[in-house]
Amino acid sequence: MSTEGGTKALVAALTANLGIAVSKFVAFAFSGSSSMLAEGVHSIADSGNQVLLLVGGKRSQRDATEQHPFGYGRERYVYGFLVSIVLFSVGGMFAIYEGYEKIAHPHELENWYWPVGVLVFAILLEGYSFLTAYREASKDKGRHGWSAYIRRAKAPELPVVLLEDTGALIGLVLALGGVGLTAATGDAVWDGIGTLCIGVLLVVIALVLALETKSLLIGESADAEVVVKIREALVDHDTVTSVIHMRTLHVGPEELLVAAKIGVNAEDSAAVVAEAIDLAEARVRKAVPIARAIYLEPDVYSEEKALAGPDADATPGGPGRNTH
């Protein structure tokens, strides 16, 4: 559902941004407003970002290979990280530079009604894009608040579009304020200040996106409620008596790897244990359909093993990695 909703939001945002970009550059040509130039570049950057996310979504659907046995789901995270870089460099830094130049060397604003008309038009289109993303994200976020949703979402598309559209709407208001104050006072410095504020806003959004996507690239576990479902599904209170310890990892937004050591009865035969493992895997996939790769290690339960947890020396990034 998040993939379908993300694609719908991306297409809506791309359509809106392309139309907005053209109108902003036309307004810049007639008025010379730096706010309009910065906003035009912002819309071009946003359009490029949406294309990147669409490409990432398409490439992530490729079948697993021998070299990439867990598939290409993380490509969506890679392209999401690229979006933050584009937004920071092309959108944010350009706007900051252009704002500084406008403040240092102000130029008279001509035909102020062009940028004002285009900005009102752009707010309407961005509002349409934002509402589409908001509706789709509302289905995906469940009971979590918006801040928690941005931090916890495993699919990057909807959070990226939401943040971009939020930034775009705030940026348009800032640009409208800069152009309006310049037209009212005749001082073009206000146009530069509006442009500078747009640049700072884009840099902040880009940094938030970079931090969240970096976490996904490194590898995040399943949400706490999903972990509980998996634990409950593994245990049948007959052959599988407990979960000694377990690890989960998102290898893609809708693909989860589950590795667990499960407690079994010492007197059960290998055939009985093997059948119990097959049934446990089936229960997990029914409870959590995105659990694609499941690896279960049977062991006789002991409280000492359960308290010890996974072998730290054998864990990626554990202390054993740094010993010589």
Side-chain angles (χ1 to χ4, degrees), residues 17-41 43-44 109-119 121-122:
N17 277 317
L18 288 174
I20 290 169
V22 172
S23 64
K24 286 174 180 176
F25 284 122
V26 169
F28 164 71
F30 279 96
S31 67
S33 167
S34 66
S35 290
M36 294 309 303
L37 178 59
E39 275 296 304
V41 173
S43 292
I44 289 294
L109 182 67
E110 301 174 359
N111 303 321
W112 60 267
Y113 44 83
W114 270 97
V116 169
V118 166
L119 286 169
F121 169 72

Side-chain angles (χ1 to χ4, degrees), residues 231-300:
R231 283 184 172 274
E232 291 176 348
L234 284 172
V235 178
D236 63 3
H237 300 290
D238 182 14
T239 305
V240 181
T241 58
S242 62
V243 177
I244 299 173
H245 56 73
M246 182 177 73
R247 294 254 173 113
T248 61
L249 178 69
H250 270 275
V251 294
E254 284 92 28
E255 298 174 69
L256 190 65
L257 182 150
V258 179
K261 179 173 283 192
I262 55 175
V264 298
N265 300 312
E267 63 274 12
D268 285 336
S269 67
V272 170
V273 171
E275 183 182 4
I277 288 175
D278 290 340
L279 292 173
E281 290 179 354
R283 291 194 299 273
V284 169
R285 290 194 173 95
K286 183 177 180 181
V288 182
I290 66 170
R292 306 286 177 84
I294 304 174
Y295 299 98
L296 303 179
E297 178 186 354
D299 199 351
V300 177

Side-chain angles (χ1 to χ4, degrees), residues 67-208:
Q67 186 178 9
H68 298 280
F70 292 106
Y72 292 84
R74 284 196 181 185
E75 287 232 29
R76 288 166 70 179
Y77 302 152
V78 173
Y79 280 84
F81 191 76
L82 288 175
V83 162
S84 67
I85 296 173
V86 171
L87 195 62
F88 178 87
S89 58
V90 178
M93 298 309 294
F94 176 84
I96 289 175
Y97 169 77
E98 185 65 25
Y100 168 78
E101 282 293 309
K102 190 72 172 185
I103 292 171
H105 309 288
H107 302 288
E108 184 180 352
L109 182 67
E110 301 174 359
N111 303 321
W112 60 267
Y113 44 83
W114 270 97
V116 169
V118 166
L119 286 169
V120 172
F121 169 72
I123 287 172
L124 293 175
L125 279 183
E126 283 290 358
Y128 158 74
S129 174
F130 175 81
L131 286 175
T132 301
Y134 178 84
R135 283 195 294 265
E136 296 301 326
S138 296
K139 303 173 189 175
D140 197 40
K141 79 180 185 72
R143 58 183 175 80
H144 301 294
W146 286 107
S147 177
Y149 171 67
I150 296 296
R151 292 196 309 270
R152 296 162 59 97
K154 307 304 180 186
E157 292 84 1
L158 281 172
V160 167
V161 174
L162 269 177
L163 284 173
E164 279 189 348
D165 285 351
T166 301
L169 285 170
I170 296 173
L172 289 168
V173 171
L174 291 172
L176 190 59
V179 170
L181 285 170
T182 296
T185 63
D187 188 352
V189 169
W190 288 109
D191 190 28
I193 292 173
T195 307
L196 195 64
C197 291
I198 291 168
V200 173
L201 172 69
L202 293 179
V203 167
V204 170
I205 291 175
L207 291 175
V208 171

